[in-house]
Amino acid sequence: MAVFGIDLGTTNSAIARIDADGRPEVLIGINGEPTVPSVVLFASGYDHVVGEGARRQARLDPEHVCALVKRRMGDAEWRFVAHGQTWSAPAVSSLILKSLAADAEFGGGETVQRVVITVPAYFGDEERRATIQAGTYAGFDVAGVLSEPIAAALSYGFGRLDGSIDIGKGGARETVLAYDLGGGTFDATVIELADRRISVLAVEGDHQLGGADWDERIALHLSQQFCAANPEAEDPLDDSAGSQMLVLAAEQAKRELSDRERTEVVIAHDGARAVVPLTRAEMEAMTASLLRRTLDLTKACIGEAGKRGVHRVDRLLLVGGSSRMPMVAEGLQKELGIAGELRDPDLSVACGAALYGEKLEMERLIVADLVTRGRLRDGSALSEANPGDLEQSLARVAASFGQPVALVRRMLEIQVDTVVSRGFGVLALDPYNGLAASWLVHRNQTLPIRVRRSYGTVRADQDQIELTIVEQQGQAASTRPEDTKVLVEGRIRDIPPGYPAGSEVQVTFEMGFDGILHVTAYHVEAHMPLALSVQTGATLSQADVARELDQLQRTRRRPV
């Protein structure tokens, strides 16, 4: 079964698979394009349009068009309201995912069932869970979530290259900086490649910063120029349709200025018209602070990697469609002295996800083959298999994929190590400072993580223990509760009397390569456990899940 790779982007999305020759290919949609705008028009309570048709309609029916939903992933309170119905970010995102699946089936004839979905490296636990929820809503088996910079690294030649896999081949080491400026999110990631291993050393980012912010700055400038030329006309930004029109015009101007030094934007609104000239230099001046923010985050990321002993960057990958702007490469060259590589920035992440998906599928089939034949205990790692048995299984799986055994072996040998993008901890009573955050997991700590820490009860005969799991907000881990984000709360209840103050409570945090956190607490003397499942805006309440699944089953995609 093929595992498709999906880049669920803020402004554009793409889906890829591995072709018969073992290479990743992005599937062309019904509209003949490799990417689909991540925009949904709710035409009625039961009809929706996804993609370019929805984006075009944004000017005419802005109240029912949802865009930039990725920025809302993990926000428990956010809802998009259309035709009397409410939609969470995972539900809206699922419509985009289902549209991509329909395009894939149109282009490749294969039903999309298992997928790897990419996320920004700086996404926290809630955002990652929201992404999985979106895939579940779409009817997929989500094989994994993969950080976008790792996907880009696989795609940029560290996956399959001319029939081979070349990751730190021959013991060579290479340090790669992935600068990922998408439509609505930004990530900087330092990755080390050595001995067929991809190791993320440090991440920084801002999931509220991207090409859409450039569009807003340009739109504001266009509005000012229009109003100056037509003082009696309404400001387009004061009207929702006019605002959408300006943003679309700004986006087009930004793209044109990536290829030439000057363009003209025609604005027609409220019976008035203006032709606004715009130069690349003007655009770069009005958006310089946005670029500066990305450069500062990039330098901070390099600084974090330096703390882990890596002080040199050998290669700079430019990822994300907005990294096409010449000011990006020029700014990085001036700041870091490195020339960036820009190759298929819109498609590389989806291709990398497809490569990772195939690796996961190969591993799954080999494990299943060995377990079925009694050569591996169920639940054991491949490393525990007998080398001879593993070789025979490799040959069988390679035959099923129609690929050389050496290729499958090399794919299995690729290891992906990553780090956690945020710190995680519990709120605990400090005898000197009162309630404070106690951090068990620290930002840029290598995954997988399993850490245990002991705390004590506050008083004798304490009949319940309250556990509050928090996530770090911002770049620095503060102990102040108000500087943290509460993920989940739980209680060990009905503890019998007889235990003194200070009785041991063990708290264990576990996080795998997917970056999703699992927490257990244990009252040692009373032998009472507590396992917490993070209930966030990603998972919603059971009632919300049932309602949205019902909505999704009843709504249909309108042809465009």
Side-chain angles (χ1 to χ4, degrees):
M1 179 191 298
V3 179
F4 290 78
I6 296 180
D7 174 10
L8 180 60
T10 311
T11 54
N12 291 287
S13 297
I15 185 168
R17 70 173 181 183
I18 302 301
D19 67 15
D21 296 324
R23 299 175 183 276
E25 63 170 350
V26 172
L27 298 172
I28 304 302
I30 295 172
N31 291 327
E33 297 294 332
T35 62
V36 174
S38 303
V39 183
V40 180
L41 163 67
F42 292 91
S44 72
Y46 303 101
D47 291 292
H48 69 274
V49 176
V50 176
E52 186 58 37
R55 200 172 79 95
R56 289 196 303 266
Q57 194 72 11
R59 179 178 174 180
L60 302 175
D61 190 11
E63 300 303 319
H64 295 117
V65 174
C66 183
L68 303 179
V69 69
K70 187 173 178 177
R71 286 185 167 182
R72 303 293 187 173
M73 294 296 263
D75 184 341
E77 305 302 322
W78 183 85
R79 296 291 185 275
F80 186 80
V81 180
H83 303 290
Q85 294 184 331
T86 60
W87 300 80
S88 68
V92 175
S93 298
S94 75
L95 298 176
I96 300 169
L97 291 171
K98 289 169 76 173
S99 176
L100 287 170
D103 284 349
E105 291 167 16
F106 169 82
E110 188 173 356
T111 302
V112 178
Q113 293 179 317
R114 297 192 78 219
V115 299
V116 169
I117 307 176
T118 61
V119 295
Y122 204 64
F123 259 18
D125 183 73
E126 285 193 294
E127 293 93 339
R128 290 171 186 268
R129 287 179 179 270
T131 303
I132 293 173
Q133 182 74 47
T136 302
Y137 274 165
F140 301 151
D141 173 10
V142 182
V145 291
L146 181 68
S147 290
E148 290 163 6
I150 295 176
L154 283 167
S155 177
Y156 269 82
F158 304 122
R160 298 182 174 190
L161 182 61
D162 296 329
S164 67
I165 299 172
D166 189 16
I167 299 181
K169 203 170 181 179
R173 289 178 177 272
E174 189 171 31
T175 302
V176 176
L177 169 63
Y179 175 101
D180 185 354
L181 183 60
T185 61
F186 171 73
D187 275 323
T189 310
V190 175
I191 303 169
E192 186 178 65
L193 302 142
D195 302 324
R196 303 199 191 282
R197 183 177 292 272
I198 301 177
S199 301
V200 176
L201 302 179
V203 297
E204 288 288 355
D206 186 340
H207 67 269
Q208 297 294 327
L209 175 65
D213 297 284
W214 267 258
D215 300 341
E216 289 178 6
R217 293 278 179 93
I218 298 168
L220 178 60
H221 171 78
L222 296 176
S223 171
Q224 292 169 343
Q225 296 301 306
F226 173 85
C227 291
N230 300 279
E232 301 301 320
E234 177 191 49
D235 185 341
L237 291 180
D238 290 338
D239 173 70
S240 57
S243 178
Q244 289 283 351
M245 175 269 296
L246 269 189
V247 170
L248 291 174
E251 182 184 3
Q252 181 62 30
K254 179 185 69 178
R255 292 181 177 179
E256 291 174 358
L257 290 174
S258 292
D259 298 320
R260 55 180 187 259
E261 296 289 336
R262 179 184 178 87
T263 189
E264 290 186 340
V265 183
V266 178
I267 305 170
H269 179 71
D270 195 28
R273 185 175 183 275
V275 179
V276 180
L278 184 63
T279 67
R280 181 187 292 175
E282 288 173 329
M283 185 200 76
E284 291 179 351
M286 69 182 71
T287 59
S289 63
L290 299 174
L291 179 65
R292 181 72 258 166
R293 169 70 172 153
T294 71
L295 295 176
D296 288 343
L297 287 169
T298 301
K299 291 173 71 175
C301 185
I302 294 172
E304 287 294 321
K307 295 177 183 178
R308 301 184 63 181
V310 175
H311 303 284
R312 186 188 70 183
V313 172
D314 302 308
R315 191 171 185 179
L316 171 61
L317 304 183
L318 301 181
V319 185
S322 296
S323 63
R324 280 194 176 92
M325 293 183 290
M327 66 188 296
V328 168
E330 291 167 5
L332 288 164
Q333 176 75 53
K334 181 179 178 180
E335 201 80 17
L336 305 177
I338 308 172
E341 298 181 37
L342 182 67
R343 291 179 291 175
D344 290 331
D346 293 313
L347 309 180
S348 61
V349 170
C351 288
L355 284 165
Y356 188 70
E358 177 152 335
K359 170 182 166 59
L360 293 180
E361 183 66 3
M362 287 177 175
E363 290 176 343
R364 185 183 72 83
L365 290 175
I366 290 170
V367 168
D369 178 70
L370 290 170
V371 169
T372 300
R373 295 171 184 272
R375 301 299 183 181
L376 185 69
R377 201 169 54 249
D378 196 9
S380 299
L382 271 179
S383 57
E384 298 179 34
N386 177 279
D389 293 335
L390 181 59
E391 281 299 312
Q392 292 177 21
S393 183
L394 279 170
R396 288 189 289 268
V397 171
S400 71
F401 275 86
Q403 302 292 346
V405 174
L407 193 74
V408 177
R409 184 186 299 111
R410 289 177 185 139
M411 181 63 86
L412 290 182
E413 288 173 353
I414 295 176
Q415 298 298 315
V416 177
D417 298 334
T418 188
V419 298
V420 63
S421 60
R422 314 276 179 88
F424 295 92
V426 298
L427 293 185
L429 194 60
D430 185 304
Y432 302 103
N433 301 311
L435 196 64
S438 173
W439 300 105
L440 282 79
V441 176
H442 301 277
R443 189 167 63 92
N444 286 323
Q445 190 172 341
T446 303
L447 290 169
I449 292 169
R450 189 177 191 278
V451 59
R452 176 179 292 168
R453 186 171 299 174
S454 291
Y455 299 87
T457 55
V458 177
R459 62 184 182 276
D461 299 324
Q462 187 169 325
D463 62 352
Q464 69 174 10
I465 295 165
E466 221 174 280
L467 195 67
T468 302
I469 310 303
V470 294
E471 183 179 60
Q472 173 185 339
Q473 297 295 285
Q475 291 179 279
S478 169
T479 59
R480 300 196 317 163
E482 57 267 33
D483 294 335
T484 68
K485 180 178 183 178
V486 174
L487 289 181
V488 63
E489 297 176 308
R491 288 178 173 84
I492 299 178
R493 301 178 186 273
D494 301 322
I495 302 170
Y499 299 105
S503 293
E504 184 181 6
V505 179
Q506 291 179 350
V507 178
T508 303
F509 279 21
E510 292 184 272
M511 185 177 288
F513 291 112
D514 58 4
I516 295 175
L517 179 66
H518 302 278
V519 180
T520 56
Y522 185 65
H523 191 299
V524 176
E525 294 178 67
H527 305 291
M528 296 183 70
L530 170 68
L532 292 182
S533 173
V534 177
Q535 300 294 321
T536 68
T539 54
L540 311 174
S541 70
Q542 291 301 311
D544 281 340
V545 168
R547 179 186 57 77
E548 292 198 319
L549 282 172
D550 182 60
Q551 280 184 198
L552 289 165
Q553 288 168 358
R554 287 186 288 118
T555 189
R556 64 184 180 88
R557 185 187 184 201
R558 177 180 288 184
V560 293

